[in-house]
Amino acid sequence: MEKIFVLLRLLVLLQAATTGAAAVGEGLINVARLKMFVDDLPDMPRLQGFRVRDGELLPGNLTIGMYEKSWIFHRDLPPTRVFAYGTSRAAATVPGPTIEALAGVATHITWLNHLPTNHILPWDPSIPSPLSSSSPPISGVPAVTHLHGGVHPPAGDGNSLAWFTHNFSSTGPAFSSPTSYYPNHQPPGNLWYHDHVLGLTRLNLLAGLLAAFVLHSPPLESPLCLPSGPSFDRHLILFDRSFSSDGSLFLNSTGNNPSIHPQWQPEYFGSAIIVNGKAWPRLRVRRRRYRFRIINASNARFFRLSLSNGLRFLHVGSDSTYLRRPVPSRNFLLSPSEIADVIIDFADSAAGDRSAVLLNDAPYPFPSGDPVDEFNGKVMKFVISRRLGERDPSRLPARLPGPPPPTAAEASAARRRYIVLYEYESDTGEPTHLYINGRSFEDPVTETPTAGASEEWQVINLTEDNHPLHIHLAPFVVLEQREIVAVDEFKKCMMRINDAEGCHVQNHAGGRTDPVPAHEQGWKNVFKMRPGFMTRILVRFAMLPSGEPYLFDATAEPGYVYHCHILDHEDNMMMRPLKLQP
């Protein structure tokens, strides 16, 4: 009788998960059918986040909608149904338009939801979301946009409970207005915007709701003489997707633990690598310096990037801020949601080089998963001009305008707290859900820092995955990565009492230290928390670079959040509220 009940429950959940969703095409397409490097790299539309009137810079007012439309990811693929950002359905793209704002000049964006009644992807009713928990059931796909790396008031942060549907027929409990205010009072750098709905973030990003946002400061940046202009300063937005034979996006419809979660799987990995909306594109380059702002917008895939002809990267920024000095590398690791701002000098290519392939060799899941193959091990191709002696007005400055590191006094005065990452498994050993500090997103807030203060977070990763931890609003500096010794013993105690000091963390966090890569030693808003390590970070709940109080009320409702940026983890439910206090 119990088995029959479980079967009936499973059938009901599966029916709920797929009702109204687009039917997934029969059969997963074999990516070997798709020839690489045949589509040119798109440059996404650009929108100005400011206005100029009579020579005066004024705040910008943009209206950006979310639309369902068709998109061509490869010349040999049928059109794919997607969700896309744009100023109209015809203008919407995947990724969406790049917003170019100015430091110190505010941008106001009104976000409009034109998404359909039903989702185009299968969703899991056992994961808390507006689709699974609203009573009465909502009509329409919910959405809310978060500006990743932005320093702005809570009401415009894209809180996971501030969602709304088409024509605002349904709204979440934290919804207040479709217009978000972005003061842009922060250092210049690279940000991106994406959907952030509770329990549906992985689906809405997979469908296409993601795009770049760049904050310029001409007085600060022009003297640097870095590569500039639309031809030589390019975004590369990386993600992975799988496709059904009819061209539709493929997302599994059966989970690892179907009797618990009928659809959810712990990580999504696509078989095709997409850059700026095209699978394995090509970019024709001259023999000179180029600047590439590389955003990993994948659900779960890490990229460890290198160039096939041995060219080096010169890092000038990480996440949303500049570094203090350029840092060279031959390869680097980029987790989901991280941003690398790099210079590549194609003049350093050998005279006979006609191309360079951007390669990836990061296992998936990272760090102990499957090795890459010939398809997900390649990202895109640079086709190098034959012409030698190319004129290049750009240069490589010895110093960059990165914010200074925290002072010793700031670090010593900081309050300390433990942030512990857990994964829970079924009897079969398959993951069922993930928590931070043993709590779900719906549990009462426990992280209540004081606005204007700094805190030291000691992040303990008791899972086998590397988790990119993202903190909304607050930048941080990584102080140390230290291995946990006798980790199994420590984990067994923590799973029982969930108390780091009660489990004598001081006796366990004494293993080897791994250095923080030089290109990640500046201020960040996401960092890779290594499995079996305690990572110490200094979090500043104040303005960069001054450390002065925010120019808005950061203590207002609905507050902020912090979470793992593997989207499948974030949705189930590796995210916690963050509420600042006066």
Side-chain angles (χ1 to χ4, degrees), residues 459-477:
V459 185
I460 301 170
N461 185 355
L462 296 179
T463 80
E464 296 182 1
D465 289 329
N466 189 310
H467 297 282
L469 187 71
H470 172 48
I471 304 175
H472 287 214
L473 177 71
F476 59 84
V477 169

Side-chain angles (χ1 to χ4, degrees), residues 163-415:
W163 52 267
F164 56 99
T165 60
H166 180 54
N167 286 335
F168 310 102
S169 59
S170 298
T171 58
F175 176 80
S176 58
S177 169
T179 301
S180 295
Y181 164 60
Y182 305 116
N184 297 328
H185 282 290
Q186 59 185 100
N190 300 298
L191 300 84
W192 65 298
Y193 61 97
H194 60 79
D195 186 78
H196 212 273
V197 174
L198 180 70
L200 298 172
T201 299
R202 72 195 191 284
L203 301 185
N204 286 353
L205 265 76
L206 191 65
L209 293 179
L210 54 97
F213 185 111
V214 60
L215 191 59
H216 296 292
S217 177
L220 197 64
E221 296 178 283
S222 294
L224 301 176
C225 293
L226 294 171
S228 61
S231 297
F232 307 110
D233 182 353
R234 303 289 298 267
H235 278 89
L236 302 179
I237 304 179
L238 317 182
F239 48 92
D240 53 340
R241 297 291 185 269
S242 288
F243 302 94
S244 299
S245 56
D246 65 356
S248 61
L249 291 168
F250 177 84
L251 176 65
N252 57 283
S253 56
T254 304
N256 292 27
N257 290 294
S259 64
I260 301 172
H261 300 306
Q263 180 275 325
W264 181 81
Q265 289 187 350
E267 290 98 7
Y268 172 88
F269 297 109
S271 55
I273 304 301
I274 314 296
V275 187
N276 292 9
K278 294 294 182 183
W280 307 289
R282 66 191 176 195
L283 175 65
R284 302 182 190 279
V285 296
R286 292 153 58 177
R287 291 179 179 267
R288 54 154 291 163
R289 299 182 192 94
Y290 284 71
R291 181 178 187 174
F292 295 107
R293 305 168 189 259
I294 308 176
I295 303 173
N296 183 354
S298 299
N299 281 36
R301 185 180 294 277
F302 285 63
F303 290 95
R304 187 159 51 208
L305 300 173
S306 62
L307 288 161
S308 62
N309 64 348
L311 287 182
R312 70 175 186 169
F313 306 96
L314 195 70
H315 298 256
V316 296
S318 180
D319 289 343
S320 59
T321 61
Y322 276 97
L323 299 173
R324 300 280 285 170
R325 59 179 177 82
V327 177
S329 75
R330 296 291 178 183
N331 61 76
F332 63 93
L333 184 67
L334 203 64
S335 73
S337 84
E338 273 192 302
I339 303 176
D341 195 340
V342 301
I343 307 295
I344 301 176
D345 192 348
F346 292 101
D348 292 339
S349 303
D353 281 355
R354 295 292 177 263
S355 67
V357 177
L358 186 61
L359 303 173
N360 164 48
D361 69 350
Y364 59 101
F366 190 84
S368 55
D370 295 332
V372 298
D373 58 29
E374 59 179 310
F375 303 106
N376 53 47
K378 295 182 177 68
V379 178
M380 64 175 291
K381 176 186 278 189
F382 298 102
V383 181
I384 304 173
S385 168
R386 294 174 179 270
R387 182 179 176 182
L388 303 177
E390 185 77 44
R391 179 181 177 275
D392 188 352
S394 70
R395 64 183 179 88
L396 299 177
R399 296 290 178 184
L400 296 165
T407 64
E410 179 181 7
S412 63
R415 170 181 174 169

Side-chain angles (χ1 to χ4, degrees), residues 4 18 24 231 256 368 377 404 523 537 570:
I4 294 175
T18 56
V24 176
S231 297
N256 292 27
S368 55
W523 291 93
I537 61 176
E570 173 187 345

